[in-house]
């Protein structure tokens, strides 16, 4: 018994821990700006390099206890502090860290700087300091106030942003701004009368229920076969044709209902009752909320 | 300021806060609608479990009050009690809970015994897409049209679930429309059934369904879930809960859970769902020209759904052997107003042959309709969300 409980407990722990890990695995380094001259300012009015983390999942993910680093040999360089509610990233949202080597300025100021003269490797490690969640190497020589960013949030290629045509630098906001629902617009353009959608959707509905039909037709046939075999054994019949003629295995529910009713009549309903009459006082649970219950009438029940 | 002036000012201020001072024609109109629903439920016995909570909810939602006073009493005011209860509708978690209850109280035996009736349940979903096309034609956007079309599935929780995702601003009108037409099934469906069937067809006797083993009943929710949700994962909240509830019922080892899911829990959620949906019809949000359009489209969707179920059976009969013909009067039950539309099939059947009971046969397409409309909702959600 104890082993069983222990097994269930271990399974639960594994499930929960894997779910936890799965959430953090959805974090991505999304955009990095190394030389900040006239770009985003922190709460102190300073312009420093910044690193944006994006939560690609559809659930909130807390980055506390994870590590940010620019040193492959020191994965635990900046532990993201516990106890700050702002470390929780809402679904599909961002968090910005300032690479200003001023950790005493708060949770989001890391203890390293980025060097514009050389390639900067940045890594985000899980709370164990071993599992690398995401990393990026920001190439040297990116112009001031230009960022190195993913084309789309959390996925895709990296590009340099900041020039006309290459897209805007977008600290703490989406790299791609969605100002329309593309799916809806596609349907409006390509299927203005809804015929395509209707045909496609009905096809899927029919396919689903057709598959269910085929499957349960097969299961039903197997069930009838098993019942028939059992019935043949009980009736001592070995000839399949005879069994088919007698409809063995295909009895309707009505037959079983009739048998059940006959048994009930035989076993439960008596022509002569035992004539014991017991009168019990109606007991109703007392509570201060219904103390007047004896003087109230029953809830009306319209027949 | 004298004492009398002080009292006078307070009385004036009190008057400004009363419902009488803030009452407008739309409030009165909606209160009358609420009273009409309550009348239908109590006097005509039209789906009282739904129409009493919705009707009373309409009264609650349309008590006039000073909106700009920030009293936190209206259903659309964040922090109000009604708004908190409304979260189950707006966030879409009441409908799956109702589906859990439906699953726990539904016997799928008739469908398992005669699985071809599943196709009738699928055919009735034409109503959804017929209304979708018309809604597009009169200017609704595809997501709004889909939310309106789902009224044709005759499934209140599904309609609420889909509209909360695709067109939250139309949800009140869609929900009230869906539940109203479900309540009016006894009025809407019989003429359509008679119109599309001949007397000879109405007299068709169907073979009694075979007895279904417990193993089959246990396999149904498991296989049903895996198959439908692998095909349409976006239907998972509804289908998952429906099949889960059914497994609780059929497993034979969780009868307490099944009783709770199909009894007290389903009742509690139905009360909250009905009342908050009714209250969401606050006149200022509800009485718009598009509401009338939604009601008209919903009515049309219901008619198409009922007719397509009946017509599909007639077409299906062309390929079935004589001994396995289906009575087309059960085609209307493909809309998933459970068990009302199955009862209508039975009642209309009995009008023409007082010994031809179609109820159990009609339950097949009826519960298939529940699955079909949830799959259709999943498809629409997948395409348009």
């Amino acid at each position: 018994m104890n082993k069983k409980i222990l097994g269930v407990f271990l399974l639960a722990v594994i499930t929960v821990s894997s779910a936890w890990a799965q959430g953090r695995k959805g974090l991505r380094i999304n955009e990095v700006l190394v030389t900040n001259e006239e770009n985003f300012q922190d709460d102190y009015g300073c312009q420093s390099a910044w690193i944006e983390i994006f939560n690609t999942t559809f659930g909130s993910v807390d980055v506390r206890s994870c590590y940010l680093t620019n040193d492959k040999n020191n994965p635990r360089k900046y532990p993201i502090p516990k106890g700050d509610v702002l470390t929780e990233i809402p679904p599909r949202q961002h968090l910005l860290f300032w690479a200003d080597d001023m950790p005493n300025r708060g949770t989001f100021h890391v203890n390293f700087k980025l060097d514009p003269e050389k390639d900067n490797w940045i890594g985000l490690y899980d709370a164990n300091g071993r599992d690398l969640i995401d990393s990026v190497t920001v190439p040297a020589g990116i112009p001031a106030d230009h960022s190195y960013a993913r084309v789309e949030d959390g996925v895709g290629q990296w590009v340099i942003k900041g020039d006309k045509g290459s897209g805007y630098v977008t600290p703490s906001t989406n790299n791609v701004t969605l100002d329309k629902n593309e799916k809806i617009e596609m349907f409006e353009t390509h299927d203005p009368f809804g015929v395509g959608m209707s045909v496609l959707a009905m096809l899927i509905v029919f396919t689903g229920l057709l598959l269910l039909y085929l499957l349960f037709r097969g299961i039903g046939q197997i069930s009838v076969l098993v019942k028939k075999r059992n019935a043949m054994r009980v009736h001592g019949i070995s000839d399949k044709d005879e069994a088919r003629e007698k409809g063995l295995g295909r009895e309707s529910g009505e037959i079983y209902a009739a048998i059940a009713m006959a048994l009930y009549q035989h076993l439960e309903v008596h022509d002569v009752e035992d004539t014991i009459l017991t009168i019990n006082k109606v007991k109703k649970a007392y509570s201060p909320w219904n103390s007047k219950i004896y003087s109230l009438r029953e809830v009306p029940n319209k027949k | 300021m004298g004492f009398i002036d002080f009292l006078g000012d307070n009385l004036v201020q009190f008057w400004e806060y009363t419902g009488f001072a803030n009452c407008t024609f739309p409030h009165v109109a909606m209160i009358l609608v609420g009273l009409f629903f309550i009348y239908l439920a109590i006097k005509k016995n039209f789906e009282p479990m739904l129409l009493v909570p919705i009707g009373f909810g309409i009264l609650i939602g349309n008590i006039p009050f000073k909106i700009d006073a920030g009293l936190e009493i209206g259903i659309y005011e964040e922090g109000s009690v009604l708004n908190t209860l409304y979260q189950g509708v707006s966030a879409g978690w009441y409908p799956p809970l109702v589906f859990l209850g439906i699953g726990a109280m539904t016997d799928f035996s008739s469908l398992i015994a005669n699985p071809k009736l599943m196709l009738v349940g699928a055919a009735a979903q034409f109503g959804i897409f017929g209304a979708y096309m018309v809604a597009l034609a009169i200017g609704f956007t595809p997501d709004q049209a889909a939310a309106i079309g789902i009224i044709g599935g005759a499934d209140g929780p599904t309609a609420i679930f889909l509209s909360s995702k695709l067109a939250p601003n139309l949800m009140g009108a869609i929900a009230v429309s869906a539940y109203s037409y479900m309540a009016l099934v006894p009025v809407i469906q019989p003429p359509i059934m008679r119109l599309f069937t001949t007397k000879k067809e109405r007299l068709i006797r169907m073979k009694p369904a075979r007895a279904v083993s417990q193993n089959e009943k246990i396999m149904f929710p498991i296989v049903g879930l895996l198959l439908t949700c692998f095909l349409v994962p976006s239907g998972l909240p509804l289908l998952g809960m429906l099949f889960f509830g059914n497994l609780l019922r059929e497993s034979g080892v969780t009868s307490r859970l099944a009783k709770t899911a199909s009894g007290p829990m389903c009742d509690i959620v139905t009360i909250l769902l009905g009342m908050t949906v009714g209250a969401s019809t606050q006149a200022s949000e509800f009485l718009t020209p598009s509401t009338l359009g939604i009601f008209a489209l919903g009515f049309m969707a219901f008619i198409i759904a009922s007719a397509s179920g009946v017509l599909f059976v007639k077409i299906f009969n062309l390929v079935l052997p004589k001994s396995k013909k289906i009575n087309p009067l059960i085609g209307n039950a493909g809309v998933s107003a459970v068990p009302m539309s199955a009862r209508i099939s039975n009642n209309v059947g009995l009008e023409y042959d007082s010994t031809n009971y179609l109820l159990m046969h009609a339950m097949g397409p009826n519960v298939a309709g529940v699955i079909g409309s949830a799959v259709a909702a999943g498809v629409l959600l997948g395409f348009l969300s």
Side-chain angles (χ1 to χ4, degrees):
Chain A
M1 187 63 187
N2 284 341
K3 279 183 184 173
K4 269 187 190 174
I5 292 170
L6 191 69
V8 171
F9 177 73
L10 282 174
L11 196 68
V13 169
I14 291 166
T15 310
V16 169
S17 59
S18 62
W20 178 257
Q22 197 177 16
R24 285 186 168 168
K25 279 178 191 163
L27 295 172
R28 292 288 175 273
I29 298 171
N30 203 46
E31 188 170 2
V32 180
L33 187 135
V34 178
T35 312
N36 187 351
E37 288 178 358
E38 293 180 352
N39 196 259
F40 207 42
Q41 288 183 350
D42 65 12
D43 291 345
Y44 293 85
C46 301
Q47 282 153 323
S48 323
W50 47 258
I51 302 160
E52 183 186 75
I53 311 286
F54 180 72
N55 173 11
T56 61
T57 72
F58 287 86
S60 295
V61 176
D62 202 329
V63 290
R64 63 181 178 180
S65 312
C66 289
Y67 296 91
L68 259 176
T69 180
N70 63 343
D71 184 355
K72 283 180 183 173
N73 299 319
N74 184 9
R76 299 185 183 211
K77 190 164 186 178
Y78 179 71
I80 299 170
K82 293 178 184 175
D84 189 335
V85 291
L86 297 176
T87 55
E88 186 172 285
I89 313 178
R92 309 285 300 167
Q93 294 301 310
H94 318 77
L95 203 57
L96 202 72
F97 287 89
W98 299 97
D100 53 4
D101 196 16
M102 303 279 269
N104 53 346
R105 285 191 166 178
T107 304
F108 303 106
H109 294 260
V110 301
N111 57 0
F112 57 84
K113 282 185 172 178
L114 301 178
D115 186 350
E117 303 300 323
K118 57 180 187 181
D119 288 357
N120 285 283
W121 180 86
I122 301 165
L124 176 66
Y125 282 86
D126 205 347
N128 59 15
R130 287 191 301 273
D131 298 335
L132 182 64
I133 298 171
D134 193 26
S135 68
V136 63
T137 302
V138 183
I142 293 179
D145 298 325
H146 283 59
S147 70
Y148 191 58
R150 291 180 188 270
V151 177
E152 283 180 42
D153 292 285
V155 289
Q157 296 291 312
W158 287 81
V159 291
I160 296 171
K161 285 187 172 181
D163 286 324
K164 267 187 181 176
S166 65
Y168 301 103
V169 177
T170 54
S172 256
T173 185
N174 288 20
N175 291 0
V176 177
T177 308
L178 296 174
D179 54 357
K180 56 188 178 184
N181 187 333
E182 280 187 11
K183 275 187 181 179
I184 303 286
E185 291 204 349
M186 290 283 274
F187 271 101
E188 277 176 337
T189 310
H190 299 292
D191 188 23
F193 303 109
V195 177
M197 158 72 96
S198 302
V199 171
L200 210 60
M202 279 308 288
L203 208 64
I204 296 171
V205 172
F206 262 102
T207 306
L209 289 172
L210 187 70
L211 287 173
L212 212 53
Y213 156 59
L214 291 173
L215 211 64
F216 272 88
R217 190 166 171 244
I219 291 171
Q221 281 171 348
I222 294 168
S223 175
V224 167
L225 213 66
V226 171
K227 267 190 187 171
K228 190 169 143 187
R229 204 182 56 193
N230 292 343
M232 282 169 70
R233 198 182 303 145
V234 170
H235 287 88
I237 297 171
S238 54
D239 184 15
K240 285 183 181 172
D241 291 333
E242 192 185 345
R244 195 179 301 122
E245 269 176 29
K246 290 187 175 179
L248 292 184
R250 287 189 171 275
E251 293 83 1
S252 75
E254 289 167 351
I255 293 173
Y256 292 111
I259 294 169
M261 197 180 288
L263 283 171
Y264 176 76
Q265 289 285 333
H266 177 68
L267 298 171
E268 303 291 334
V269 180
H270 310 286
D271 290 335
V272 181
E273 298 297 333
D274 54 12
T275 65
I276 296 171
L277 184 65
T278 308
I279 299 174
N280 281 326
K281 188 184 173 205
V282 176
K283 288 177 185 170
K284 291 184 177 173
Y286 174 80
S287 125
W289 299 102
N290 63 3
S291 59
K292 289 181 183 169
I293 194 156
Y294 294 106
S295 62
L296 291 174
R297 65 190 179 94
E298 294 289 327
V299 176
N301 189 9
K302 192 180 170 188
K303 298 288 179 193
Chain B
M1 181 189 285
F3 179 66
I4 300 295
D5 289 340
F6 170 72
L7 282 185
D9 284 353
N10 273 288
L11 272 176
V12 169
Q13 202 177 15
F14 172 75
W15 169 253
E16 284 172 359
Y17 276 77
T18 61
F20 297 107
N22 291 288
C23 191
T24 59
F25 173 72
H27 288 110
V28 177
M30 288 309 299
I31 287 172
L32 288 175
V33 171
L35 292 174
F36 180 61
F37 275 31
I38 294 171
Y39 166 79
L40 284 180
I42 297 174
K43 288 293 177 192
K44 300 288 179 188
N45 208 28
F46 286 171
E47 293 280 348
M49 302 286 187
L50 298 173
L51 286 194
V52 168
I54 291 178
F56 205 81
I58 293 175
L59 300 186
I60 291 174
N62 287 283
I63 300 292
F65 60 90
K66 200 172 163 63
I67 290 177
D68 54 5
L71 300 172
E72 291 191 0
I73 51 173
I75 196 160
Y76 295 110
E77 286 182 275
E78 211 168 303
S80 73
V81 173
L82 286 176
N83 183 263
T84 305
L85 295 177
Y86 189 56
Q87 298 302 313
V89 178
S90 55
W93 49 268
Y94 283 157
L97 289 177
V98 173
F99 259 60
L100 179 72
I102 292 173
M105 68 176 82
T106 304
D107 181 1
F108 283 98
S109 302
S110 49
L111 190 63
I112 300 169
N114 197 357
K116 62 176 171 285
L117 297 179
M118 285 181 201
L119 301 178
V120 182
Q125 309 312 320
F126 274 116
I128 295 174
F129 299 101
Y132 170 77
M133 288 194 277
V134 178
L136 279 181
I138 63 174
F140 284 101
T141 59
D143 45 349
Q144 290 175 332
I148 295 167
I150 201 74
I151 298 172
D155 197 330
T158 307
I160 291 171
F161 181 76
L162 193 69
S163 55
S164 71
K165 305 287 177 199
L166 294 183
N169 55 327
L170 303 180
M171 186 167 55
I174 289 170
V176 172
S177 170
Y179 279 117
S180 307
Y181 293 132
M182 279 166 69
L184 293 174
V185 157
V187 180
I188 298 171
Q189 287 196 325
I192 299 165
M193 293 157 70
R194 290 191 191 102
L195 181 68
F196 290 109
T197 52
T198 63
K199 195 175 177 190
K200 191 181 166 194
E201 287 169 332
R202 290 175 215 140
L203 295 173
I204 292 176
R205 277 179 176 266
M206 295 172 68
K207 272 174 46 180
R210 69 177 173 84
V212 175
S213 70
Q214 198 198 3
N215 283 341
E216 285 176 272
K217 288 182 189 174
I218 291 173
M219 283 173 73
F220 184 77
I222 297 170
V223 174
L225 171 79
L226 295 176
L227 211 148
T228 53
C229 289
F230 266 74
L231 190 66
V232 190
S234 40
L236 191 57
L238 295 174
L239 290 166
M241 294 300 251
L242 177 79
F243 287 124
F244 173 50
N246 192 246
L247 183 64
L248 290 181
R249 173 197 166 94
E250 301 297 356
S251 68
V253 291
T254 50
S255 58
R256 248 175 57 199
L257 302 185
K259 273 181 193 163
T260 306
S262 63
M265 201 199 74
C266 192
D267 291 348
I268 290 168
V269 181
T270 303
I271 291 168
L272 293 174
L273 179 71
M275 193 274 286
T276 49
V277 161
S280 71
T281 62
Q282 203 169 291
S284 56
E285 307 280 332
F286 188 75
L287 281 183
T288 60
S290 64
T291 304
L292 285 178
I294 290 168
F295 268 77
L297 287 167
F299 185 67
M300 197 195 68
F302 233 83
I303 290 175
I304 298 173
S306 306
S308 54
V310 173
L311 290 173
F312 179 80
V313 174
K314 284 168 69 101
I315 295 166
F316 202 20
N317 273 343
L318 297 176
V319 294
L320 290 175
K322 201 177 175 184
S323 62
K324 291 186 176 174
K325 297 267 190 230
I326 302 171
N327 190 319
L329 288 180
I330 69 167
N332 71 300
V335 304
S336 50
V338 181
M340 184 63 96
S341 51
R343 280 210 300 265
I344 301 303
S345 304
N346 191 51
N347 292 347
V348 177
L350 287 175
E351 281 176 23
Y352 295 92
D353 179 354
S354 59
T355 58
N356 193 7
Y357 292 93
L358 295 171
L359 184 65
M360 285 318 289
H361 300 296
M363 279 307 287
N366 211 187
V367 292
V370 177
I371 301 171
S373 59
V375 172
V379 174
L380 291 170
L381 201 60
F383 280 156
L384 296 170
S385 69

